[in-house]
Amino acid sequence: MTEPSVWQQRIAGEWHGRPSLFDHNGTWCGFEEIRRSSDHVDGVTTYKMDGGLIGGGPLAGQFRLGAPFSFGVIDSDANRVYTGPDFFGTGQPYGSFVDSHYYGPGWQVDLNTWNQVLPDSETQVYSSVLYQGWAVVGCFNGLYTRTPGLVDGLIEAETRNGPVPYILPTKEAGAFTGTLELWGFDQKLRGTVETSIALEPIDLLRTRRTVSWQGAGLDRTFTTETRRDGNRLFFEGPEAWGNAIGFGRASFQSLHFTDVWKVKAREFSIDAAPGMSAGKQLAVVYELFHGGNLDSVLHGLLEWSS
């Protein structure tokens, strides 16, 4: 009998969540109440999703279905191949994070799903950016748990916090810091990286951001002035340039350095809640590219201190 992959063992069990649905502008539209499981039985892996859309606005007709999802998976820690009938594509694990690209005939969208298991091993940070060709048409994102005693509390929290925008501290200087894992393009662990995102607010919409990565051969510190316009961010030099869009608590970023390197990133504010405050936990994933080639994936959890 074929043993399940390390990733398959990591996500065993049934996960519960209420991810939010956003349109292409980042406008909150509703919830998708989901129970997900990925079972490995007699050498065969089957992925199941059961639940339903709550709300959805103009997107409801596209993203509401009349039956649960189910699809086969060719299980591997190199490539996970999704064999249909409800999703077709592949996913690549990098430790406790998987980057998946696939097509969903029922939703009629191409998806880029980032699924990150946090250090507690019981919480997933999930997002699916939805595409029509190259154009974004929406996004699902939110938190999941597989701990039965935490399900009710998580669903209640996601209902309250799901629509909250990604906004970092605007009047308080400080830093998100922590130790992240660096995985190579070959999906092998390179080591750990001490990480800091230091914020120095300039005014309510502009912040001087200094990011430091130190360790495992990744030694880079760069400063950029960030400007917020609604749920959009702009990184305006001098050492990195780019932009981002927020779908609720998740900020999807594209950064270009002044050399050949660039970054595709997601920063997710775990505990951001309604009110005039910002969260103190930031789950981060950075895909680092040397030119057009993926070099490594850096991910983990950062904590705020002022």
Side-chain angles (χ1 to χ4, degrees):
M1 182 184 299
T2 304
E3 291 297 317
S5 66
V6 174
W7 173 259
Q8 184 60 42
Q9 295 175 55
R10 193 188 302 273
I11 62 170
E14 185 173 67
W15 295 80
H16 295 254
R18 185 175 278 178
S20 286
L21 172 63
F22 302 87
D23 70 11
H24 67 285
N25 291 314
T27 303
W28 182 83
C29 298
F31 296 107
E32 179 83 0
E33 185 143 359
I34 288 291
R35 296 171 297 280
R36 298 184 315 175
S37 62
S38 185
D39 300 320
H40 187 90
V41 179
D42 295 331
V44 177
T45 300
T46 303
Y47 203 103
K48 299 178 181 178
M49 294 170 53
D50 192 9
L53 188 66
I54 302 170
L59 299 178
Q62 182 171 357
F63 294 108
R64 177 188 163 98
L65 294 179
F69 286 116
S70 178
F71 57 98
V73 180
I74 299 175
D75 179 36
S76 165
D77 278 313
N79 296 292
R80 292 168 62 79
V81 182
Y82 311 130
T83 60
D86 293 332
F87 290 111
F88 296 90
T90 66
Q92 286 71 44
Y94 302 89
S96 58
F97 163 74
V98 70
D99 184 349
S100 301
H101 298 254
Y102 52 97
Y103 183 74
W107 283 345
Q108 302 178 87
V109 289
D110 200 70
L111 301 93
N112 185 190
T113 295
W114 283 17
N115 212 338
Q116 178 184 13
V117 180
L118 295 185
D120 66 4
S121 298
E122 300 298 327
T123 306
Q124 285 186 19
V125 182
Y126 158 89
S127 66
S128 281
V129 182
L130 315 170
Y131 294 87
Q132 177 72 38
W134 286 22
V136 173
V137 297
C139 177
F140 281 107
N141 68 57
L143 302 178
Y144 283 82
T145 184
R146 63 177 167 187
T147 305
L150 299 180
V151 171
D152 290 345
L154 181 134
I155 297 299
E156 181 180 349
E158 287 296 279
T159 302
R160 182 170 183 260
N161 300 337
V164 172
Y166 167 97
I167 298 175
L168 299 186
T170 54
K171 287 189 174 182
E172 183 180 29
F176 288 95
T177 60
T179 303
L180 308 184
E181 291 184 350
L182 182 67
W183 292 77
F185 66 92
D186 57 1
Q187 298 167 286
K188 295 180 180 178
L189 180 64
R190 292 184 182 174
T192 58
V193 177
E194 296 304 315
T195 298
S196 170
I197 303 175
L199 304 178
E200 182 186 347
I202 300 169
D203 56 36
L204 292 178
L205 298 177
R206 293 184 302 147
T207 298
R208 186 169 294 105
R209 171 190 285 229
T210 299
V211 177
S212 174
W213 298 325
Q214 303 294 324
L218 178 59
D219 298 308
R220 181 186 287 266
T221 298
F222 60 94
T223 298
T224 181
E225 186 170 306
T226 63
R227 175 174 57 88
R228 183 170 62 85
D229 180 4
N231 63 323
R232 300 181 299 166
L233 277 181
F234 299 89
F235 304 100
E236 299 179 329
E239 295 169 323
W241 299 82
N243 59 17
I245 186 169
F247 295 105
R249 293 166 292 165
S251 175
F252 295 84
Q253 305 172 0
S254 177
L255 277 174
H256 301 263
F257 298 125
T258 54
D259 54 17
V260 74
W261 290 86
K262 58 188 176 185
V263 176
K264 177 182 178 182
R266 182 190 71 190
E267 295 178 355
F268 191 104
S269 185
I270 296 290
D271 54 345
M276 299 183 72
S277 63
K280 296 184 179 300
Q281 288 188 314
L282 202 63
V284 297
V285 179
Y286 304 104
E287 293 191 338
L288 285 72
F289 292 83
H290 185 263
N293 300 315
L294 178 67
D295 174 82
S296 51
V297 180
L298 180 68
H299 62 79
L301 185 65
L302 304 177
E303 301 272 354
W304 171 259
S305 61
S306 56

